Amino acid sequence: MRLGLWGVFLALTESCWCAPQQTCYPGDELLGRCNNNVTETKPTCTEMHLSYCNDVGYTRTMFPNILGHQTRMDAESGAEYLLLSVIHGLLNGECTPDIRLVGCSVLVSPCQDDKIIRPCRSTCEALRKDCGHTFEAIDMAWPYFLDCDRFFASDQEGCFDPLAALRARREQTRSSISPDKPSTLIQFTHTSNSQMYSLLKRTAAKCSHISHVYSIGRSTEGRDLLVIEFSNNPGQHELLEPEVKLIGNMHGNEVLGRQLLIYLAQYLCSEYTLGNPRIQTLINTTRIHILASMNPDGYELAAAEVEDRNDPDLTNQEGHLMNGWINGRTNAQNLDLNRNFPDLTSVFYRNRRSKHYRTDHIPIPDGYWFEKVAPETFAVMKWSRSIPFVQSASLHGGELVVSYPFDYSRHPQDEKMFSPTQDERVFKQLARTYADAHTTMSDTDTDRCGARFYRTKGIINGALWYSFPGGMSDFNYLHTNCLEITVELGCDKFPSEVELYPEWKRNKEALLKFVESVHRGIKGVVKDVDGNGIKDATIAVKGIRKDVTTDEGGDYWRLLTPGTHIVTATAKGYSRVSKRVHLPQNLKKAGRVDFVLKKVPLKPFIDDHFFPMTETWDRFDPYNQFERYTEPDVVEGGIERQSKPWWWSYFSQSGISPPNWLLRSA
C-alpha cells in the first residue's frame, strides 16, 4: 500500500520536489497554465476551503500564501497539498496528523487583519526532531516546505503553534485514561521493519538524554540489527551499573516478543519523561539494551505470509492467520539462529570432570568458523562479548513457559533429560521472576496455553523440555558472564492486532520485574593497593564452578540467591582474597563486596600449560571470515581487487599450502 502511494506521488510530481514555479513562460501561458497579464490586487483574508486542512482550528487564510501560490486552486493542485493528502499512507500512520497540520499551517496560514501569521519555528524544529526518521525510512527527503528557517517565524516575531490544539486533545485523552490502562499512549499494531526502525529512532530522539540507538550489524539481506539503549548516561558503561539485554524475534515468525519490546521502549521513554519514579529509578541505575528483532529477514517473510483478516474471501478466520507455522522461522540463509551458535555445551560435558578445566568463558572452537555462521549470529556473539551483560532474556513464541539452561542434554541421545548448570538455583529464581509476574503463566489452570507446565508453575529446564545444541542461552552462560533465560510468550506465534494490547498487559510487569531483578546478588570493584581497577580478575563462589570476570574498571556483578557464600577474587600476578558474604532473604538490592589485591610474583600455573583459557577466549573470528566484509576493497592502479578470502591468513601463518580446490574457489 505504502509503495503504491509513493509511486503515485512520484509520478504525479514527476519526481520533482521543489518550490512552486513563479515564472510564467510563453509556452505555459498558451497552455493556460498561467497568465502574465494578471493584475495584482491587494491580498485580503479569505475563507479557507481545503478539505485536508479543515481541522486546523481556524477558517480564514490569505493568498498569495507563504509558498507563493497565488490562489486556492494553485495551492490545491500543488505537490505540497498532494503530499498532505497521502501522508498518512506514505508513513503508515506515523507522525500524523502532526505533519499534515504543520504542513497546512504553511500552505494555508491563518489570516488576521489582512496579514498572514506564520507558524512557530520551535514547533517545526520539534517536529523534525521527532519525525525526520519517518521520511528516512522511505528514502524520502524532509519536505522543502517544512524548512524551519525559511517558512516559519520565531516567538519574538509573532507566530502561532499549529499543534497546540492537538496537544491539548492528547493531554485530555491522557488524563481521562483509567488507572488500569497505560498512561503512555502506544499504538498497539503490528510494525513493519521500516516502521520499527523509525519508531525506535524517534523514541531515542524524544528521550535523547536517556536513550540512543545503535546497530550491532546487518542481517543476511542487509537490514540493520538495531538496538535501543536506555541509561542515564547512554552510550557508556558506568562503574557498577549492571547491563541487561532483551532480544526478540530470533525466529522471524515469532513476532509477539518483537512487538512487546517495541512497546517497552516507548513506555520507558514516555514514563521517564512523565516522572514515573519506578521507571526513573530503573533507568538511572541500569543500562538496558533492547534488540527488538534479531531476524528482520525472517519477519519479512512471515509478515508476507500472514493472511488479511478482513479479506471476505477467507473461510478460516482465526486472527492473524499463518500460511504454515514455520514460515519465516529461519533467516534468509535458511538457518535456525537458535541452533547456529557454537556448541560449547558439548565441550563442557566432555571436560567437566577435569579438576583444572574452567566451566566459564569457554573459547569458541576454531572448527566452528568453518561451518555456516549466520551474520545475525556473528553480530550477537560479538555484541555479547563487547558489553559486560549480567542477565538477558530471549523472547519467543509457540508455548507459554520460561525455560533456562542447559538447553542441550548431558546425554545427547536423551532428548528430555534434566541438565542443570552450576547456577541452577539462580536460573530458577530468574525464571520464577518472569513467570510469577506474568498474569497467567504460573497459574494452575489446565485449560489454557502452557497448561502442560502447570506442575512447575510455568518454568522448566530447557533440556528437560526438549534438547538441542547450538542455542543462544547456553552460549551466553558458557562463554560470557551473562545468564540468559528463554521466554515463550504464548501459543500464537503471530497474534492478531486485537490481542496485542491484552498481551502487553500480561507481560509488561513481568518485563519490568525481570530487568529490576538484575539488582540482586553481589557487586563490587576489584582494585590493586593503589586504587586502580583490575581488569579480567575472576570472582569465584565456593560450590559453584562458574566464575565471572571483571570489566575494564575492575567492576563485577554476580547473581546469587539468598544465603551465605564464600566469595574469592584473584587475578594473574595478584594475591587471592576471600570473603564470607551473607545475603538476607529481604535484600532489595545487590550487596556491595569490594576486593583489594596485592601484587605477588607471577608463578607458573598448571592451567597456563594445559588449559590456556584466557588467551584462547580472545580468539574470535580468527581467520577474519566476517570482518573482511566490512572493509573496503583495496585499489591498485585504479583497478579494484577483492580482499583475500577468510582462510588466507590461516594457511599463510601455518606455512601449509591451501588445497587446489580451495584456491579455485577464491
Side-chain angles (χ1 to χ4, degrees):
M1 175 65 178
R2 187 190 69 194
L3 292 176
L5 286 171
W6 186 217
V8 170
F9 180 71
L10 287 176
L12 290 175
T13 59
E14 297 179 340
S15 301
C16 176
W17 191 238
C18 49
Q21 183 175 310
Q22 299 296 311
T23 304
C24 185
Y25 297 102
D28 292 330
E29 187 173 5
L30 289 173
L31 294 172
R33 292 176 179 169
C34 56
N35 187 349
N36 276 324
N37 299 318
V38 173
T39 303
E40 291 191 7
T41 58
K42 181 181 178 182
T44 58
C45 294
T46 183
E47 292 296 317
M48 182 183 65
H49 299 288
L50 287 178
S51 58
Y52 287 109
C53 298
N54 60 5
D55 57 345
V56 291
Y58 52 89
T59 60
R60 294 178 68 75
T61 187
M62 177 185 284
F63 290 99
N65 62 10
I66 297 174
L67 300 176
H69 295 122
Q70 297 297 315
T71 66
R72 180 185 66 82
M73 291 184 64
D74 290 343
E76 198 169 30
S77 60
E80 301 85 3
Y81 187 68
L82 175 61
L83 176 62
L84 296 181
S85 70
V86 298
I87 194 71
H88 182 86
L90 276 176
L91 302 182
N92 282 288
E94 295 179 53
C95 284
T96 56
D98 307 55
I99 289 178
R100 180 177 58 78
L101 290 174
V102 174
C104 286
S105 72
V106 176
L107 196 63
V108 282
S109 305
C111 176
Q112 186 175 359
D113 299 329
D114 292 334
K115 292 182 179 179
I116 284 180
I117 305 174
R118 292 189 176 225
C120 292
R121 184 172 297 124
S122 57
T123 302
C124 175
E125 290 170 345
L127 181 71
R128 182 160 190 175
K129 181 180 178 182
D130 289 348
C131 299
H133 297 301
T134 60
F135 287 89
E136 292 176 11
I138 60 172
D139 297 323
M140 180 178 174
W142 182 254
Y144 93 91
F145 65 93
L146 297 183
D147 185 325
C148 303
D149 295 323
R150 186 175 174 189
F151 300 116
F152 295 76
S154 66
D155 295 340
Q156 292 75 19
E157 295 172 293
C159 63
F160 84 103
D161 182 355
L163 298 182
L166 178 63
R167 277 195 291 270
R169 290 196 299 271
R170 286 174 175 169
E171 187 59 36
Q172 184 178 6
T173 302
R174 187 189 302 276
S175 62
S176 66
I177 293 175
S178 60
D180 63 332
K181 295 277 185 78
S183 57
T184 294
L185 299 179
I186 297 172
Q187 189 175 6
F188 291 97
T189 58
H190 283 291
T191 310
S192 69
N193 282 325
S194 61
Q195 286 176 314
M196 174 184 68
Y197 296 141
S198 180
L199 267 173
L200 295 179
K201 290 176 182 178
R202 284 173 50 207
T203 299
K206 284 181 180 179
C207 292
S208 57
H209 56 304
I210 58 164
S211 179
H212 88 124
V213 292
Y214 63 94
S215 175
I216 62 170
R218 289 186 179 273
S219 69
T220 303
E221 294 181 345
R223 295 181 175 90
D224 266 320
L225 303 178
L226 200 67
V227 175
I228 184 167
E229 171 205 336
F230 289 91
S231 166
N232 61 349
N233 190 14
Q236 296 184 30
H237 170 69
E238 292 188 82
L239 198 71
L240 292 173
E241 185 170 272
E243 313 241 7
V244 180
K245 60 182 164 74
L246 301 171
I247 299 176
N249 206 203
M250 186 182 199
H251 293 141
N253 63 329
E254 297 170 10
V255 304
L256 180 56
R258 166 194 173 106
Q259 292 304 138
L260 292 178
L261 293 182
I262 293 171
Y263 304 153
L264 179 64
Q266 296 174 78
Y267 179 83
L268 292 175
C269 169
S270 179
E271 291 298 302
Y272 190 99
T273 305
L274 291 170
N276 184 323
R278 180 187 185 186
I279 301 305
Q280 289 185 335
T281 299
L282 181 61
I283 291 176
N284 290 341
T285 59
T286 319
R287 193 175 177 208
I288 307 164
H289 305 256
I290 298 173
L291 174 60
S293 182
M294 182 179 167
N295 187 3
D297 297 349
Y299 174 83
E300 201 75 17
L301 176 60
E305 293 291 332
V306 174
E307 297 176 333
D308 185 0
R309 291 181 295 123
N310 298 317
D311 189 340
D313 295 330
L314 290 177
T315 58
N316 182 17
Q317 295 288 335
E318 294 182 0
H320 231 209
L321 302 176
M322 296 294 297
N323 294 331
W325 212 49
I326 61 172
N327 288 321
R329 175 183 173 89
T330 59
N331 77 339
Q333 298 167 298
N334 201 30
L335 294 174
D336 187 327
L337 299 181
N338 207 27
R339 309 291 188 273
N340 193 235
F341 284 80
D343 178 16
L344 303 183
T345 322
S346 293
V347 178
F348 164 74
Y349 288 145
R350 285 197 302 268
N351 297 282
R352 68 183 184 275
R353 291 187 177 85
S354 173
K355 181 179 179 181
H356 296 285
Y357 192 83
R358 286 181 62 172
T359 60
D360 57 271
H361 294 79
I362 297 175
I364 299 171
D366 281 4
Y368 169 75
W369 301 105
F370 289 90
E371 300 171 4
K372 199 167 187 178
V373 181
E376 298 90 346
T377 308
F378 177 83
V380 170
M381 287 195 295
K382 191 174 181 180
W383 181 42
S384 300
R385 289 166 53 94
S386 65
I387 295 175
F389 292 115
V390 182
Q391 70 185 45
S392 172
S394 178
L395 308 187
H396 289 249
E399 258 296 354
L400 189 63
V401 68
V402 178
S403 70
Y404 58 87
F406 286 123
D407 283 324
Y408 193 36
S409 171
R410 50 185 170 166
H411 292 299
Q413 290 75 24
D414 195 335
E415 294 187 356
K416 294 181 182 294
M417 184 177 190
F418 177 60
S419 304
T421 66
Q422 291 287 310
D423 282 284
E424 167 71 9
R425 293 178 62 193
V426 176
F427 270 122
K428 288 185 74 172
Q429 179 178 261
L430 286 176
R432 280 260 67 86
T433 298
Y434 197 100
D436 290 348
H438 189 278
T439 57
T440 61
M441 192 178 287
S442 62
D443 67 33
T444 56
D445 181 9
T446 58
D447 187 23
R448 63 171 177 85
C449 172
R452 59 174 164 157
F453 304 105
Y454 83 95
R455 294 184 187 278
T456 55
K457 293 190 174 181
I459 70 171
I460 191 170
N461 171 258
L464 182 59
W465 181 14
Y466 66 93
S467 173
F468 64 91
M472 184 165 66
S473 294
D474 284 10
F475 169 80
N476 272 274
Y477 183 72
L478 292 172
H479 191 68
T480 73
N481 290 339
C482 185
L483 275 62
E484 180 176 277
I485 61 172
T486 300
V487 182
E488 299 281 346
L489 294 164
C491 293
D492 192 348
K493 293 189 174 188
F494 208 131
S496 63
E497 287 190 343
V498 73
E499 282 297 314
L500 294 179
Y501 176 55
E503 287 292 353
W504 167 247
K505 289 201 298 182
R506 294 182 191 110
N507 286 278
K508 183 187 77 172
E509 184 62 21
L511 288 166
L512 295 176
K513 283 274 181 68
F514 176 78
V515 176
E516 289 170 334
S517 71
V518 75
H519 295 279
R520 291 194 290 206
I522 59 174
K523 64 180 180 181
V525 182
V526 180
K527 299 179 180 179
D528 61 22
V529 292
D530 297 321
N532 301 312
I534 302 174
K535 182 178 182 290
D536 289 332
T538 60
I539 305 297
V541 179
K542 187 176 181 179
I544 303 176
R545 290 185 65 189
K546 156 75 176 177
D547 300 345
V548 299
T549 56
T550 56
D551 195 48
E552 295 283 348
D555 50 343
Y556 75 91
W557 303 261
R558 185 51 167 107
L559 297 175
L560 291 170
T561 54
T564 300
H565 305 276
I566 305 299
V567 184
T568 300
T570 187
K572 282 190 175 182
Y574 291 89
S575 60
R576 181 185 299 263
V577 176
S578 298
K579 293 185 178 183
R580 182 185 295 271
V581 178
H582 178 70
L583 298 176
Q585 287 282 351
N586 58 354
L587 188 65
K588 300 297 184 184
K589 61 181 182 179
R592 179 76 181 265
V593 183
D594 294 335
F595 293 89
V596 177
L597 307 184
K598 297 179 180 179
K599 283 194 174 182
V600 296
L602 187 60
K603 296 180 180 180
F605 188 53
I606 189 171
D607 282 13
D608 296 335
H609 298 286
F610 296 102
F611 304 98
M613 305 299 291
T614 304
E615 289 76 17
T616 54
W617 187 89
D618 293 327
R619 231 173 123 73
F620 185 72
D621 191 16
Y623 312 122
N624 208 26
Q625 181 177 359
F626 290 89
E627 293 296 344
R628 74 183 185 92
Y629 290 113
T630 64
E631 299 173 358
D633 289 341
V634 180
V635 178
E636 292 181 347
I639 302 173
E640 289 189 1
R641 67 173 175 83
Q642 293 290 344
S643 303
K644 288 182 172 63
W646 62 266
W647 44 262
W648 188 269
S649 60
Y650 170 76
F651 287 104
S652 298
Q653 294 169 15
S654 65
I656 303 172
S657 298
N660 290 332
W661 65 267
L662 201 55
L663 288 170
R664 286 194 298 269
S665 68

PDB file of all heavy atoms in Angstrom, residues 343-352 357 362-363 365:
ATOM      1  N   ASP A 343      28.539 -24.844  19.767  1.00  0.00           N
ATOM      2  CA  ASP A 343      28.065 -25.857  20.723  1.00  0.00           C
ATOM      3  C   ASP A 343      29.100 -26.011  21.838  1.00  0.00           C
ATOM      4  O   ASP A 343      29.884 -26.966  21.863  1.00  0.00           O
ATOM      5  CB  ASP A 343      27.824 -27.182  20.004  1.00  0.00           C
ATOM      6  CG  ASP A 343      27.375 -28.278  20.973  1.00  0.00           C
ATOM      7  OD1 ASP A 343      26.975 -27.936  22.102  1.00  0.00           O
ATOM      8  OD2 ASP A 343      27.451 -29.464  20.602  1.00  0.00           O
ATOM      9  N   LEU A 344      29.105 -25.054  22.756  1.00  0.00           N
ATOM     10  CA  LEU A 344      30.034 -25.107  23.885  1.00  0.00           C
ATOM     11  C   LEU A 344      29.560 -26.064  24.959  1.00  0.00           C
ATOM     12  O   LEU A 344      30.346 -26.480  25.812  1.00  0.00           O
ATOM     13  CB  LEU A 344      30.212 -23.702  24.473  1.00  0.00           C
ATOM     14  CG  LEU A 344      30.704 -22.612  23.503  1.00  0.00           C
ATOM     15  CD1 LEU A 344      30.906 -21.301  24.239  1.00  0.00           C
ATOM     16  CD2 LEU A 344      31.978 -23.044  22.812  1.00  0.00           C
ATOM     17  N   THR A 345      28.277 -26.418  24.920  1.00  0.00           N
ATOM     18  CA  THR A 345      27.734 -27.340  25.924  1.00  0.00           C
ATOM     19  C   THR A 345      28.384 -28.715  25.792  1.00  0.00           C
ATOM     20  O   THR A 345      28.710 -29.355  26.801  1.00  0.00           O
ATOM     21  CB  THR A 345      26.209 -27.449  25.785  1.00  0.00           C
ATOM     22  OG1 THR A 345      25.669 -26.172  25.450  1.00  0.00           O
ATOM     23  CG2 THR A 345      25.583 -27.905  27.088  1.00  0.00           C
ATOM     24  N   SER A 346      28.584 -29.176  24.571  1.00  0.00           N
ATOM     25  CA  SER A 346      29.268 -30.456  24.369  1.00  0.00           C
ATOM     26  C   SER A 346      30.702 -30.388  24.856  1.00  0.00           C
ATOM     27  O   SER A 346      31.225 -31.348  25.452  1.00  0.00           O
ATOM     28  CB  SER A 346      29.235 -30.845  22.886  1.00  0.00           C
ATOM     29  OG  SER A 346      27.916 -31.131  22.464  1.00  0.00           O
ATOM     30  N   VAL A 347      31.371 -29.246  24.625  1.00  0.00           N
ATOM     31  CA  VAL A 347      32.736 -29.061  25.117  1.00  0.00           C
ATOM     32  C   VAL A 347      32.744 -29.138  26.635  1.00  0.00           C
ATOM     33  O   VAL A 347      33.615 -29.789  27.245  1.00  0.00           O
ATOM     34  CB  VAL A 347      33.304 -27.708  24.639  1.00  0.00           C
ATOM     35  CG1 VAL A 347      34.708 -27.492  25.190  1.00  0.00           C
ATOM     36  CG2 VAL A 347      33.305 -27.631  23.121  1.00  0.00           C
ATOM     37  N   PHE A 348      31.775 -28.502  27.252  1.00  0.00           N
ATOM     38  CA  PHE A 348      31.663 -28.529  28.712  1.00  0.00           C
ATOM     39  C   PHE A 348      31.447 -29.948  29.230  1.00  0.00           C
ATOM     40  O   PHE A 348      32.107 -30.388  30.180  1.00  0.00           O
ATOM     41  CB  PHE A 348      30.509 -27.627  29.152  1.00  0.00           C
ATOM     42  CG  PHE A 348      30.050 -27.862  30.563  1.00  0.00           C
ATOM     43  CD1 PHE A 348      30.808 -27.433  31.633  1.00  0.00           C
ATOM     44  CD2 PHE A 348      28.853 -28.527  30.824  1.00  0.00           C
ATOM     45  CE1 PHE A 348      30.396 -27.652  32.946  1.00  0.00           C
ATOM     46  CE2 PHE A 348      28.431 -28.751  32.118  1.00  0.00           C
ATOM     47  CZ  PHE A 348      29.210 -28.306  33.181  1.00  0.00           C
ATOM     48  N   TYR A 349      30.528 -30.686  28.619  1.00  0.00           N
ATOM     49  CA  TYR A 349      30.254 -32.053  29.077  1.00  0.00           C
ATOM     50  C   TYR A 349      31.490 -32.948  28.944  1.00  0.00           C
ATOM     51  O   TYR A 349      31.749 -33.794  29.804  1.00  0.00           O
ATOM     52  CB  TYR A 349      29.095 -32.657  28.285  1.00  0.00           C
ATOM     53  CG  TYR A 349      27.737 -32.083  28.627  1.00  0.00           C
ATOM     54  CD1 TYR A 349      26.751 -31.927  27.644  1.00  0.00           C
ATOM     55  CD2 TYR A 349      27.429 -31.711  29.929  1.00  0.00           C
ATOM     56  CE1 TYR A 349      25.506 -31.404  27.949  1.00  0.00           C
ATOM     57  CE2 TYR A 349      26.187 -31.186  30.241  1.00  0.00           C
ATOM     58  CZ  TYR A 349      25.224 -31.034  29.253  1.00  0.00           C
ATOM     59  OH  TYR A 349      23.990 -30.517  29.560  1.00  0.00           O
ATOM     60  N   ARG A 350      32.273 -32.766  27.900  1.00  0.00           N
ATOM     61  CA  ARG A 350      33.451 -33.607  27.699  1.00  0.00           C
ATOM     62  C   ARG A 350      34.519 -33.361  28.754  1.00  0.00           C
ATOM     63  O   ARG A 350      35.290 -34.259  29.098  1.00  0.00           O
ATOM     64  CB  ARG A 350      34.056 -33.353  26.313  1.00  0.00           C
ATOM     65  CG  ARG A 350      33.287 -33.971  25.166  1.00  0.00           C
ATOM     66  CD  ARG A 350      34.149 -34.041  23.900  1.00  0.00           C
ATOM     67  NE  ARG A 350      34.628 -32.726  23.483  1.00  0.00           N
ATOM     68  CZ  ARG A 350      33.989 -31.947  22.613  1.00  0.00           C
ATOM     69  NH1 ARG A 350      32.833 -32.339  22.103  1.00  0.00           N
ATOM     70  NH2 ARG A 350      34.490 -30.778  22.268  1.00  0.00           N
ATOM     71  N   ASN A 351      34.581 -32.124  29.262  1.00  0.00           N
ATOM     72  CA  ASN A 351      35.688 -31.757  30.145  1.00  0.00           C
ATOM     73  C   ASN A 351      35.272 -31.443  31.577  1.00  0.00           C
ATOM     74  O   ASN A 351      36.113 -31.060  32.386  1.00  0.00           O
ATOM     75  CB  ASN A 351      36.409 -30.525  29.570  1.00  0.00           C
ATOM     76  CG  ASN A 351      37.033 -30.796  28.222  1.00  0.00           C
ATOM     77  OD1 ASN A 351      38.086 -31.409  28.122  1.00  0.00           O
ATOM     78  ND2 ASN A 351      36.368 -30.327  27.177  1.00  0.00           N
ATOM     79  N   ARG A 352      33.979 -31.604  31.901  1.00  0.00           N
ATOM     80  CA  ARG A 352      33.505 -31.127  33.201  1.00  0.00           C
ATOM     81  C   ARG A 352      34.119 -31.851  34.384  1.00  0.00           C
ATOM     82  O   ARG A 352      34.159 -31.312  35.495  1.00  0.00           O
ATOM     83  CB  ARG A 352      31.981 -31.201  33.268  1.00  0.00           C
ATOM     84  CG  ARG A 352      31.384 -32.599  33.280  1.00  0.00           C
ATOM     85  CD  ARG A 352      29.859 -32.514  33.269  1.00  0.00           C
ATOM     86  NE  ARG A 352      29.186 -33.798  33.375  1.00  0.00           N
ATOM     87  CZ  ARG A 352      28.924 -34.595  32.359  1.00  0.00           C
ATOM     88  NH1 ARG A 352      29.308 -34.234  31.138  1.00  0.00           N
ATOM     89  NH2 ARG A 352      28.301 -35.744  32.536  1.00  0.00           N
ATOM     90  N   TYR A 357      39.739 -27.801  34.653  1.00  0.00           N
ATOM     91  CA  TYR A 357      39.056 -27.229  33.488  1.00  0.00           C
ATOM     92  C   TYR A 357      38.025 -26.207  33.934  1.00  0.00           C
ATOM     93  O   TYR A 357      37.150 -26.506  34.750  1.00  0.00           O
ATOM     94  CB  TYR A 357      38.378 -28.314  32.657  1.00  0.00           C
ATOM     95  CG  TYR A 357      37.928 -27.811  31.307  1.00  0.00           C
ATOM     96  CD1 TYR A 357      38.823 -27.755  30.238  1.00  0.00           C
ATOM     97  CD2 TYR A 357      36.617 -27.367  31.095  1.00  0.00           C
ATOM     98  CE1 TYR A 357      38.431 -27.292  29.000  1.00  0.00           C
ATOM     99  CE2 TYR A 357      36.229 -26.892  29.861  1.00  0.00           C
ATOM    100  CZ  TYR A 357      37.137 -26.857  28.813  1.00  0.00           C
ATOM    101  OH  TYR A 357      36.740 -26.382  27.586  1.00  0.00           O
ATOM    102  N   ILE A 362      34.413 -20.419  28.128  1.00  0.00           N
ATOM    103  CA  ILE A 362      34.939 -21.455  27.245  1.00  0.00           C
ATOM    104  C   ILE A 362      35.160 -20.844  25.864  1.00  0.00           C
ATOM    105  O   ILE A 362      34.262 -20.189  25.319  1.00  0.00           O
ATOM    106  CB  ILE A 362      33.973 -22.647  27.155  1.00  0.00           C
ATOM    107  CG1 ILE A 362      33.827 -23.313  28.530  1.00  0.00           C
ATOM    108  CG2 ILE A 362      34.446 -23.663  26.125  1.00  0.00           C
ATOM    109  CD1 ILE A 362      32.814 -24.435  28.577  1.00  0.00           C
ATOM    110  N   PRO A 363      36.346 -21.019  25.282  1.00  0.00           N
ATOM    111  CA  PRO A 363      36.609 -20.419  23.967  1.00  0.00           C
ATOM    112  C   PRO A 363      35.815 -21.096  22.864  1.00  0.00           C
ATOM    113  O   PRO A 363      35.392 -22.245  22.991  1.00  0.00           O
ATOM    114  CB  PRO A 363      38.110 -20.622  23.772  1.00  0.00           C
ATOM    115  CG  PRO A 363      38.430 -21.811  24.611  1.00  0.00           C
ATOM    116  CD  PRO A 363      37.518 -21.747  25.808  1.00  0.00           C
ATOM    117  N   PRO A 365      35.581 -23.056  19.598  1.00  0.00           N
ATOM    118  CA  PRO A 365      36.495 -23.926  18.840  1.00  0.00           C
ATOM    119  C   PRO A 365      36.748 -23.364  17.442  1.00  0.00           C
ATOM    120  O   PRO A 365      35.839 -22.853  16.780  1.00  0.00           O
ATOM    121  CB  PRO A 365      35.736 -25.262  18.770  1.00  0.00           C
ATOM    122  CG  PRO A 365      34.745 -25.207  19.889  1.00  0.00           C
ATOM    123  CD  PRO A 365      34.360 -23.770  20.029  1.00  0.00           C
TER     124      PRO A 365
END
